Amino acid sequence: MVAIVTAEDIAMSYGSTSILKGVSFALEAGESLSLIGSNGAGKSTLIRCLLRLEPITTGRISLFGREIQNLKPSELRSTRCRVGVVFQRHNLVPRLSVLSNVVHGALGRNTQTFGSMISGITLWSHITAGSAHRERAMECLERVNLADLAHRRADSLSGGQSQRVAIARALMQDPDLIIADEPAASLDPIAGEEVMGLFSELCREAGVSLIFSTHNISHAVDFADRMMAMKSGRMSIDCPTGSVDLKALKAEYA
Amino acid sequence: MIILFILVSAWCFDGSGFSIAQLLGSSEYLLRFLREAFPPIDEHRLTFEQFHRYWLALIETFQMAFAGTLLGLVIGFILALFASRGLMFESRRSNLLQWSVKMLISLFRTVPDLVWAIIFVMVVGLGAFAGTLTIMVDTIGFCGRFFAEEMEDVDRSSAEALSASGARRFDIVFAAVVPAATPGLITTSLFAFEKAIRSSVVLGLVGAGGIGLELQSLMNWMAYDRAMVIIGMIFALVLVVEQLSSYLRKLVMKNER
């Protein structure tokens, strides 16, 4: 198997506070990985570093075999485009329709040529998007069971619905990897379960790899093949979810 | 603190030459103005031709304000994109550009409209075109600043989500930031238009077209009755535009729940 994400001994600090202190791991294609740890352990920072939303101080991160620190902006974009991202909240543009938000998932694709720069303009909203993109966006919404809300405004949705729209937008990218930073943290338990179930089901179906962070240890165990625990900027556990001692883990991290 | 405030106030009133005695003492001039101004409409003095001319001047004022605002909004919006922190470029790379655009906008805003009007009258000559250019520059100054602030204030997390999915900055601005800022952009534009209507009225005083020119000449000829007609017309125009604009603003806000 080929590793699609590799992190080698990465460190990261804000000023004099060091957040990540030598984290290494690799993720293989099709694998799903959960990330647990208390607040401030560095989960979100690690995720942001993987996407180069934050710069790392030392170490190396590769996505799909390309080292992301040295990519030119256009190369970075085409690499990011292969990664669907879902944050904890505020993923969507509030005043646009659900469908427009899903169409935005295609913005990252082929922005290198002049022609595609022009076609990018049509993707600002579903009204201007071509019928091919609109149909594809509707398909993605159907896969998260929200096709009937396509023309609602994004800020009229519940928390669970917005997260599902964010997932649909990630699917619109046709990603090889989905990264989610506490996608269920702002949801009630039932909606959270639903969103996590959707993630792991879609990833299994499409063979997409998944990295997600969570505070919910059952989610971490149930919806991933492998889990990692972080503690003050270091990786403390890295093991298959099958072999985890749930009780000991809960005592330590919940 | 309060004592300081009182002292500063006293100092300023002293310097402003404010005098109740003077105001009362000159009341005869005010009375004369009012006596001659009323009744403003007297068929012997105000002919239909004259009224028609004022009416056209009023229309010209409106046209100047509208066209100038529209041009100013477009240019102001484009400048605001570059004046807004970290919007079009990485903030650290574009500091100089952002700063210079901001300075340009400040220059447009801080120089008073009458001064711009005098400059444009000098450049393109007397008439409505000079007024339109003045309104445009004034609107760029006003909207450039507030548009930029509104786009800075937008919650950037949805923009970041798009950036994380590989979208270009230019697309992110128009797909995420501008839609989120739309209500603010619209209300600012309406305020800009109200402001333009008010200032287009006085631009005529320096020869930059519109009804102010008529008012100016009537005042010079001491034709206070007809001047009063014009003041009434200006009052009506400003009132109508302000009412309309506040109605539209409420409409926008209602859509925001």
Side-chain angles (χ1 to χ4, degrees):
Chain A
M1 284 295 250
V2 196
I4 56 170
V5 182
T6 48
E8 288 170 45
D9 199 27
I10 56 174
M12 191 272 178
S13 45
Y14 279 120
S16 58
T17 333
S18 70
I19 313 285
L20 298 176
K21 303 161 187 165
V23 175
S24 303
F25 72 97
L27 184 78
E28 289 175 355
E31 206 180 6
S32 57
L33 171 75
S34 58
L35 205 55
I36 60 168
S38 54
N39 287 332
K43 304 187 299 296
S44 295
T45 309
L46 176 60
I47 280 173
R48 295 176 63 81
C49 288
L50 292 180
L51 293 158
R52 215 175 98 177
L53 292 171
E54 304 286 349
I56 55 174
T57 325
T58 57
R60 279 154 46 112
I61 294 175
S62 310
L63 293 181
F64 317 111
R66 312 176 85 174
E67 200 178 318
I68 59 165
Q69 266 66 46
N70 309 322
L71 293 181
K72 288 188 298 197
S74 65
E75 295 170 333
L76 177 66
R77 282 202 300 274
S78 62
T79 305
R80 279 176 173 177
C81 181
R82 297 173 65 183
V83 185
V85 184
V86 178
F87 291 114
Q88 181 179 339
R89 46 168 52 181
H90 305 310
N91 284 289
L92 306 180
V93 181
R95 304 188 69 261
L96 293 182
S97 71
V98 165
L99 193 57
S100 295
N101 270 288
V102 178
V103 165
H104 287 171
L107 276 175
R109 230 176 282 151
N110 327 305
T111 47
Q112 264 71 291
T113 64
F114 184 71
S116 65
M117 269 171 67
I118 299 301
S119 71
I121 292 174
T122 65
L123 298 174
W124 293 348
S125 95
H126 75 263
I127 299 163
T128 48
S131 55
H133 281 120
R134 256 205 314 269
E135 276 160 30
R136 172 98 181 88
M138 280 308 287
E139 277 170 36
C140 295
L141 274 175
E142 270 157 31
R143 283 167 75 183
V144 299
N145 293 321
L146 284 179
D148 46 331
L149 299 185
H151 293 282
R152 284 268 290 276
R153 245 171 73 161
D155 49 7
S156 70
L157 302 184
S158 72
Q161 288 168 337
S162 342
Q163 290 304 69
R164 277 150 68 196
V165 174
I167 296 172
R169 183 177 64 196
L171 293 176
M172 184 80 187
Q173 290 173 240
D174 237 334
D176 298 309
L177 166 69
I178 290 182
I179 296 185
D181 188 9
E182 300 189 26
S186 59
L187 306 181
D188 65 64
I190 295 170
E193 200 86 2
E194 220 171 73
V195 162
M196 288 313 305
L198 194 58
F199 262 121
S200 64
E201 183 192 313
L202 291 171
C203 287
R204 230 190 337 269
E205 269 173 18
V208 178
S209 317
L210 174 68
I211 298 179
F212 68 91
S213 66
T214 178
H215 282 292
N216 186 322
I217 302 212
S218 327
H219 285 178
V221 174
D222 294 348
F223 298 111
D225 309 325
R226 196 174 124 204
M227 68 176 290
M228 298 194 307
M230 294 188 68
K231 214 173 197 179
S232 43
R234 288 180 210 282
M235 206 67 87
S236 55
I237 301 175
D238 182 352
C239 65
T241 48
S243 67
V244 154
D245 179 358
L246 209 56
K247 267 192 189 145
L249 210 59
K250 279 194 170 158
E252 177 96 26
Y253 290 97
Chain B
M1 201 63 202
I2 294 168
I3 295 171
L4 189 72
F5 177 74
I6 291 170
L7 283 175
V8 170
S9 306
W11 177 64
C12 291
F13 272 105
D14 184 45
S16 68
F18 185 84
S19 144
I20 292 179
Q22 198 181 348
L23 198 61
L24 289 176
S26 51
S27 59
E28 63 176 292
Y29 298 107
L30 182 66
L31 283 176
R32 199 182 107 204
F33 171 73
L34 290 176
R35 208 166 38 237
E36 287 186 21
F38 288 97
I41 300 174
D42 175 340
E43 68 265 37
H44 300 302
R45 289 189 281 184
L46 180 74
T47 63
F48 177 74
E49 281 75 34
Q50 281 168 342
F51 183 75
H52 187 63
R53 205 173 76 214
Y54 303 157
W55 175 250
L56 290 182
L58 191 74
I59 297 289
E60 187 185 73
T61 305
F62 178 83
Q63 288 169 322
M64 251 164 58
F66 196 92
T69 310
L70 212 58
L71 284 171
L73 287 178
V74 173
I75 300 171
F77 176 74
I78 295 169
L79 290 182
L81 291 176
F82 292 96
S84 193
R85 205 170 338 104
L87 193 66
M88 289 300 268
F89 303 101
E90 293 283 340
S91 39
R92 64 194 144 79
R93 211 196 307 168
S94 67
N95 272 343
L96 186 70
L97 176 71
Q98 192 216 330
W99 183 84
S100 20
V101 175
K102 259 197 168 147
M103 278 297 127
L104 183 70
I105 291 172
S106 303
L107 179 76
F108 286 165
R109 192 179 56 249
T110 48
V111 175
D113 48 2
L114 275 179
V115 177
W116 284 116
I118 292 167
I119 295 172
F120 282 125
V121 165
M122 214 164 68
V123 175
V124 300
L126 292 167
F129 184 46
T132 309
L133 290 176
T134 305
I135 300 282
M136 178 187 86
V137 167
D138 216 31
T139 307
I140 294 173
F142 181 76
C143 291
R145 175 184 169 188
F146 288 108
F147 282 1
E149 283 179 4
E150 268 141 21
M151 289 191 281
E152 277 175 11
D153 289 345
V154 163
D155 180 3
R156 292 280 172 91
S157 38
S158 60
E160 186 170 54
L162 289 187
S163 159
S165 71
R168 281 176 306 158
R169 230 156 221 283
F170 178 67
D171 288 331
I172 295 170
V173 168
F174 285 96
V177 180
V178 173
T182 308
L185 299 183
I186 292 175
T187 44
T188 303
S189 306
L190 289 170
F191 275 127
F193 182 55
E194 278 182 42
K195 194 166 119 59
I197 283 281
R198 277 193 301 267
S199 66
S200 66
V201 166
V202 292
L203 293 182
L205 298 182
V206 294
I211 201 160
L213 193 61
E214 299 287 344
L215 182 64
Q216 161 88 331
S217 41
L218 289 174
M219 291 297 252
N220 284 347
W221 300 334
M222 294 195 271
Y224 297 134
D225 53 341
R226 278 173 278 161
M228 204 58 186
V229 171
I230 290 188
I231 291 172
M233 289 168 87
I234 291 171
F235 178 68
L237 176 67
V238 173
L239 208 65
V240 166
V241 168
E242 282 184 355
Q243 289 299 314
L244 193 71
S245 140
S246 82
Y247 169 74
L248 291 174
R249 229 179 356 258
K250 280 198 189 106
L251 215 64
V252 173
M253 284 311 167
K254 206 170 72 191
N255 272 333
E256 292 314 301
R257 290 172 300 149

